[in-house]
Every structure is written in C-alpha cells, then in structure tokens.
Amino acid sequence: MGKSEVYLTSFDVSPVEYFDLMLDTVVQQEIHTSKDGLNMSVWRASDGPLLGVPNGTSRVVFSEPDLKVPKFLKKWVQKAQSYNEYSDFYPPKLGGDGDDGEDGGKGANRARTTSKRECVVVPHVGANRMTMTFTEYYTE
C-alpha cells in the first residue's frame, strides 16, 4: 500500500504562475543547485509535450548530489546517488477531482483549481524506484 501525505503551503502567486515556475528550468536549476537550495552538483532537464494533454509537459531530469566525502570515493559514491526523474505535468484546470465540497465531504476545504504531477524517480545504482503523484489545490 502506498503512503499518502498532505502538506499545506502558501505562495503569493496565481495557479498559472505557480505552474509556470515549476516548469521554468532556469528557476528549477537554481533551486536544485544553489547552496541555499538543494545543493545538487548537477541538475539537467529536458522537456517535451505531454501527448494528448493540451499545455501538458513531459520532463526528464538528471540529478546528482554534491556529497561531502573523501575525493577518492566521491566520483563513485556521487554517481551511485544520482538519479533520473521522469515527470508529467498536467496544467491547472477548474473543477478539481469532482468533489467540490458541497456535500461537506473530504473536498469541502479544497479549492476549485487543481494541477497534477506524476513522477517516477529511478536511482542509477542499487535502489528501488519511487513513484509519486502530486495533486495541488489552489485558492486565489
């Protein structure tokens, strides 16, 4: 059985602006490689259209951490910790998952605009792949 988590975060941008930031490779590279960010030594992305989804994006990312290990181990250990990430970004849309909260059910506090990202992370050496789906709900 999969694990499910809910995180509430506030950003002072519209759903479309947030989605655009998620797809901006310059912004994402800065987040992933800066010392104040995730401190990866390498982050490269290649984008293409998400077939059958207007304005959708399919992205392949290669990431390699910047590890603090002795130099003679660094090349091997760093490569062993690197991974590819395969993501499909579905653009923001109105209506969400159909649960508009009118019945007071689980969607009662959800916004009317949603986007979704499906992601598979594949480590380069010896670990299990991870499959994640992110569904984001927006309020204006």
Side-chain angles (χ1 to χ4, degrees):
M1 184 161 126
K3 183 177 179 181
S4 178
E5 295 288 336
V6 175
Y7 299 96
L8 300 176
T9 308
S10 178
F11 297 101
D12 195 22
V13 296
S14 74
V16 171
E17 290 169 323
Y18 177 80
F19 187 75
D20 289 345
L21 286 171
M22 289 293 292
L23 292 176
D24 187 322
T25 54
V26 173
V27 170
Q28 291 298 317
Q29 185 169 31
E30 178 66 21
I31 289 169
H32 284 81
T33 60
S34 73
K35 299 296 180 198
D36 294 329
L38 297 175
N39 200 27
M40 303 297 273
S41 66
V42 177
W43 187 89
R44 287 190 304 265
S46 174
D47 290 348
L50 181 55
L51 299 178
V53 179
N55 300 317
T57 300
S58 184
R59 172 175 283 171
V60 177
V61 170
F62 172 75
S63 293
E64 187 174 277
D66 186 15
L67 301 175
K68 306 300 182 214
V69 296
K71 192 171 186 170
F72 70 94
L73 288 176
K74 188 169 189 168
K75 185 174 182 176
W76 184 82
V77 172
Q78 197 157 302
K79 292 289 183 200
Q81 295 295 312
S82 64
Y83 61 90
N84 279 88
E85 180 180 308
Y86 303 89
S87 296
D88 292 334
F89 292 85
Y90 296 81
K93 65 179 181 178
L94 292 176
D97 60 5
D99 184 357
D100 61 8
E102 291 178 318
D103 63 354
K106 67 178 181 159
N109 294 319
R110 290 186 179 163
R112 299 280 301 159
T113 305
T114 66
S115 72
K116 184 170 80 169
R117 176 168 51 115
E118 294 175 347
C119 178
V120 177
V121 176
V122 182
H124 281 209
V125 177
N128 294 327
R129 79 177 36 216
M130 295 173 280
T131 302
M132 298 168 271
T133 300
F134 302 90
T135 303
E136 296 167 318
Y137 301 90
Y138 306 97
T139 57
E140 301 257 354

